[in-house]
Amino acid sequence: MRVDEISNGSAVTSKADRKAQLAPLDASKLRITLTDALRVVPPPEEQVVGKSYTDHMLIVSYDPQTGWSDPEIKPYGPLSIDPACSVLQYGTSCFEGMKAYLGPDGKARLFRPDENMARLKRSAERLALPPFDEQEVLKLVKKLITVETRWIPALRGYSLYIRPTIIGTRPSIGVCASDHAILYVILSPTGPYFRTGSEGISLLALGDPVRSWPGGTGGHKVAPNYSPGFKSLEYAKELGYQQVLWLIGGKITEAGVMNFFAVLEREDGDLDVITPPLNGTILPGVTRASVIALAAAHPSRIILPGIPNTVCLHVHERELTMSNLTLWSAQGRLLEVFVSGTAAVVGGIGRIGFEGEDLLLHPYKDGRGPVARALFEYITDIQEGRTEWENWGVVCE
Amino acid sequence: MRVDEISNGSAVTSKADRKAQLAPLDASKLRITLTDALRVVPPPEEQVVGKSYTDHMLIVSYDPQTGWSDPEIKPYGPLSIDPACSVLQYGTSCFEGMKAYLGPDGKARLFRPDENMARLKRSAERLALPPFDEQEVLKLVKKLITVETRWIPALRGYSLYIRPTIIGTRPSIGVCASDHAILYVILSPTGPYFRTGSEGISLLALGDPVRSWPGGTGGHKVAPNYSPGFKSLEYAKELGYQQVLWLIGGKITEAGVMNFFAVLEREDGDLDVITPPLNGTILPGVTRASVIALAAAHPSRIILPGIPNTVCLHVHERELTMSNLTLWSAQGRLLEVFVSGTAAVVGGIGRIGFEGEDLLLHPYKDGRGPVARALFEYITDIQEGRTEWENWGVVCE
């Protein structure tokens, strides 16, 4: 018996009873309705994330009277949404970005999916969306992937992007938490995120508008973090940059929708790998955590390809400014700057525009410096099933 | 010819030509399809904003190839939305809150609708949504109101709440501006927003999480401002408060979805009316602007009911903290605290919880002190057509 039951007596118990009677999200109740008109999978060169979607989607809804519905895999199609719904009026939505890869054994693999599920749960809680067992969601994601395995491109660097989404569907403009929800998962085949040449990715550093703030939602993967940045992205593109590098009070936070890293050469021959700390303004990226773990494991536990085993990578989570980068670059110490994210995995930065000047970084083949390239190769080896590491690759069976 | 056309030549000109060929939002192209099953208007005691909606809605959509569609008034019903759409994934939505009132002449009236239309346009621009002529939207709102006039309650303090909404419907999870949109308007009959007794409205002051921040979207009426506040609202309600008073770095910003005012007694017998400044973290409320204008007009141009004509109201837009309020209250100078917004018009605050203590304010009949009551009565007299002032009341014809 919990403390609130002891202190508040039967009223609380009956509320708890009522909550206990609500149906939980239960993957074992999945119903599958397959389409009778399978689409042609587009050729690899047309596989850009968000351009096409697979034949089926997963959907399950929450009602405050009955709880979670039976999950359903059914043909991809539009949702019917009341115009007064919370998601349309108040941005009540959170999501995840994951990928399924085809291994050499022909099996579909996910990359650290427990991390995405845990973050999805935290994001839903941040927006006061209904609770669920995230392991049940993972079972459903795996099932959807097995139904759609033919959509995973059998090419290095290609994968099936997975977008689990939870939207608040309370059909009222009253400004309060949504007690109705729909959880759905859609899939989009995708190739390399940035098809850049040796020039790398270009960023425009902007301090106003700002993307997130201490006490805001920047540390959660929620819809309200994104549309407020569209105007800045359009502005960056007009000036010839690919993404925005978001600053707060001069401090670097994220690059577009990716985490940011700088690599410095040290006098002792080792390398410092520096990334902004998780202070609530930065998304705790799964790829970011993987980069940090793998960099720290070299050379004691793994050897990253192309990085000598005499070189240690010292990871620092600390504040970074554009002034830091400019100074280090002028001193010849800035080996490389890179970004990490599910879509891009690890991508090299070529230049950063800031206050009318471009900070030009070392040019490298495909834009990635030695550390970014080593991490990109090691992580994609795990993702695509060529290497095993701490059970990060999870087969869908 | 603009500078970019001179410098960039025909490519830009043809882009401008293409944009010029896109259909503008044109109210004259309105098509009306009436329902053949009119619903029963609920009795006044059930008229709570967001509980019921009228028989019809207005809808018009934007396509990047063709521009704005012909507007349509049609039976209220769900929207069909692709699961990858921008609004569901990235919170790409903005809206307005307006009301239609039934005047003594039986005609429907709007209150300063040009202000709402201008703000809707600014909000859409902030989220990089497609452009439109806001006067055309106003014509359509008026037309919808005339179709639905029977839904406006003929009771003092009752009205028809109007919710114009623009959602981004680009059907792709690619993180960029939405080049597709739907603009729609729904209506909900409503009575008094807070049915409080003499205790007034209760607020819980919270500094973390924060609602908005410098360089964020707090100064625009966009969906991403709202769902991140739901958890704090739930927390406030659990502790017995009705709304959250949002702080940033100790400074008062907004109360729930309303602007905040404090009234101080001065030694010369006049009153200071203090409200936080519009610094981008606070919504520039239409009712807020009206409160400021009417307070400043007393007693030189109007006499607010119940306020002696020997008393001047000195309006100050300046920073306010909870410490200010606590000190002024202890000094016996804090006459009243009130909030303003379209839904509540002007509402009196009874108590404010902060760091475990309650700041108890003067009790007043229905919670409103003399200034709040005077402004509430004067504004509702204009809204409901009993008084004329600077063309703020606009008849729908």
Side-chain angles (χ1 to χ4, degrees), chain A residues 45-128:
Chain A
E45 64 272 19
E46 289 179 19
Q47 288 174 354
V48 178
V49 68
K51 191 161 182 188
S52 57
Y53 299 86
T54 67
D55 295 297
H56 302 92
M57 63 193 288
L58 173 100
I59 188 163
V60 50
S61 59
Y62 183 87
D63 179 289
Q65 302 303 317
T66 53
W68 288 101
S69 69
D70 290 349
E72 200 179 351
I73 287 175
K74 64 177 192 179
Y76 185 100
L79 303 173
S80 175
I81 300 184
D82 191 282
C85 263
S86 188
V87 63
L88 301 185
Q89 298 290 332
Y90 303 127
T92 318
S93 166
C94 59
F95 63 90
E96 271 303 318
M98 311 165 68
K99 281 179 176 172
Y101 309 84
L102 211 58
D105 52 7
K107 290 179 181 170
R109 275 176 172 71
L110 300 173
F111 180 69
R112 307 186 74 182
D114 288 342
E115 299 294 321
N116 295 96
M117 292 296 109
R119 191 170 61 184
L120 183 64
K121 194 172 176 66
R122 289 198 303 273
S123 297
E125 285 169 357
R126 180 65 181 81
L127 298 186

Side-chain angles (χ1 to χ4, degrees), chain B residues 150-376:
Chain B
R150 78 181 186 100
W151 283 84
I152 311 179
L155 279 171
R156 246 179 123 126
Y158 286 72
S159 57
L160 190 56
Y161 185 88
I162 308 167
R163 176 57 65 95
T165 308
I166 311 177
I167 58 175
T169 49
R170 180 171 185 264
S172 170
I173 56 175
V175 184
C176 62
S178 180
D179 55 1
H180 291 65
I182 295 175
L183 186 156
Y184 62 91
V185 184
I186 55 177
L187 309 174
S188 177
T190 177
Y193 192 64
F194 289 103
R195 295 170 200 237
T196 51
S198 61
E199 70 276 14
I201 301 163
S202 55
L203 303 176
L204 177 65
L206 292 175
D208 188 22
V210 296
R211 190 194 85 95
S212 67
W213 52 85
T217 53
H220 295 84
K221 206 160 179 70
V222 299
N225 291 341
Y226 295 87
S227 56
F230 289 166
K231 198 176 173 185
S232 299
L233 177 60
E234 298 251 290
Y235 176 68
K237 285 180 175 173
E238 273 170 31
L239 296 187
Y241 299 89
Q242 287 169 284
Q243 288 288 341
V244 174
L245 179 60
W246 298 104
L247 309 177
I248 302 179
K251 287 164 201 149
I252 291 168
T253 64
E254 287 187 24
V257 292
M258 298 167 290
N259 292 119
F260 186 91
F261 291 84
V263 182
L264 282 189
E265 292 179 287
R266 293 159 51 123
E267 291 189 356
D268 62 6
D270 284 354
L271 296 171
D272 284 326
V273 179
I274 305 172
T275 194
L278 299 179
N279 59 3
T281 67
I282 291 167
L283 194 74
V286 178
T287 315
R288 177 187 182 276
S290 305
V291 161
I292 290 172
L294 293 174
H298 173 98
S300 58
R301 299 180 59 205
I302 58 171
I303 299 296
L304 290 173
I307 308 290
N309 64 7
T310 53
V311 171
C312 274
L313 304 180
H314 304 270
V315 180
H316 309 274
E317 297 183 62
R318 51 152 277 195
E319 287 175 356
L320 265 176
T321 64
M322 282 304 299
S323 304
N324 291 151
L325 297 185
T326 306
L327 177 65
W328 295 332
S329 177
Q331 292 171 337
R333 298 167 60 201
L334 188 59
L335 183 64
E336 56 182 295
V337 173
F338 65 87
V339 290
S340 73
T342 293
V345 190
V346 175
I349 303 300
R351 66 188 171 105
I352 307 176
F354 180 56
E355 296 181 346
E357 303 273 336
D358 264 0
L359 174 63
L360 295 174
L361 300 158
H362 279 296
Y364 291 107
K365 180 182 169 228
D366 89 359
R368 292 184 186 95
V371 175
R373 165 145 296 282
L375 289 162
F376 176 76

